[in-house]
Amino acid sequence: VVASMLICEMTAFYDAKGMTLCDALDKLYERYGYCCESNSEIYMEGVDGPAKIASIMDGLRNNCPTNIGGCGVATFGDYKAEEFTDIATGKKTPTGLPKSNVLYFKLENNDVIIVRPSGTEPKIKFYFLVIAENAESASSKIAEYKKSLNI
């Protein structure tokens, strides 16, 4: 209910300025960039599904890619090891979070890719957090990352 009231207040505020909510959102994109989140998943059913998922996680964990989709990896996070690694310096810092089977890749362009197995289904999940100039550019970046990761 409160969120609905805030949306109404925002609508009135921007209407008084001769703008729509979409206009206001476009201004935010112009100022900060187009922020987009997307996810993909690969189902691996059957008796060997969990082993395949574990193999993918171990492969990424033990052989961190140097670049994804043509963009260098700046920071690699392994929440199971509870550490972030700066790829350029090799410096390790703690995540400060509990152990979890999650991998984190921060790219040199500040985009982030997170990989984890599902806790309830036989699948591995990939999360993409990107900043681009517009929706088309963000979609293009995500497509390149998926291609690079064979998703």
Side-chain angles (χ1 to χ4, degrees):
V1 173
V2 172
S4 298
M5 289 173 35
L6 288 173
I7 293 292
C8 290
E9 187 172 333
M10 288 169 50
T11 302
F13 175 83
Y14 286 111
D15 185 57
K17 293 179 175 263
M19 298 171 64
T20 66
L21 288 181
C22 288
D23 295 335
L25 186 58
D26 287 341
K27 289 285 186 192
L28 287 172
Y29 291 151
E30 286 175 23
R31 184 171 183 178
Y32 298 105
Y34 182 84
C35 299
C36 177
E37 294 183 13
S38 178
N39 68 342
S40 289
E41 49 206 28
I42 302 172
Y43 280 86
M44 298 193 175
E45 298 175 315
V47 176
D48 58 346
K52 288 180 183 178
I53 292 169
S55 176
I56 291 170
M57 291 297 292
D58 289 342
L60 289 170
R61 179 174 279 118
N62 298 324
N63 300 298
C64 175
T66 57
N67 75 65
I68 300 173
C71 189
V73 175
T75 305
F76 170 67
D78 183 350
Y79 288 79
K80 197 172 193 178
E82 298 180 274
E83 65 187 14
F84 291 115
T85 304
D86 181 298
I87 299 301
T89 66
K91 181 180 178 187
K92 296 183 184 296
T93 55
T95 63
L97 296 170
K99 282 186 180 186
S100 184
N101 192 12
V102 175
L103 301 175
Y104 168 97
F105 302 90
K106 183 172 186 179
L107 306 182
E108 291 173 347
N109 64 2
N110 289 320
D111 290 346
V112 173
I113 300 169
I114 299 168
V115 184
R116 72 172 182 85
S118 172
T120 58
E121 298 178 272
K123 64 183 175 181
I124 187 167
K125 301 178 87 173
F126 297 81
Y127 300 88
F128 304 92
L129 298 86
V130 303
I131 300 172
E133 291 191 17
N134 53 46
E136 183 179 306
S137 177
S139 293
S140 178
K141 287 171 81 173
I142 292 169
E144 282 299 316
Y145 298 152
K146 288 180 180 181
K147 182 178 175 185
S148 180
L149 293 167
N150 298 315
I151 300 173

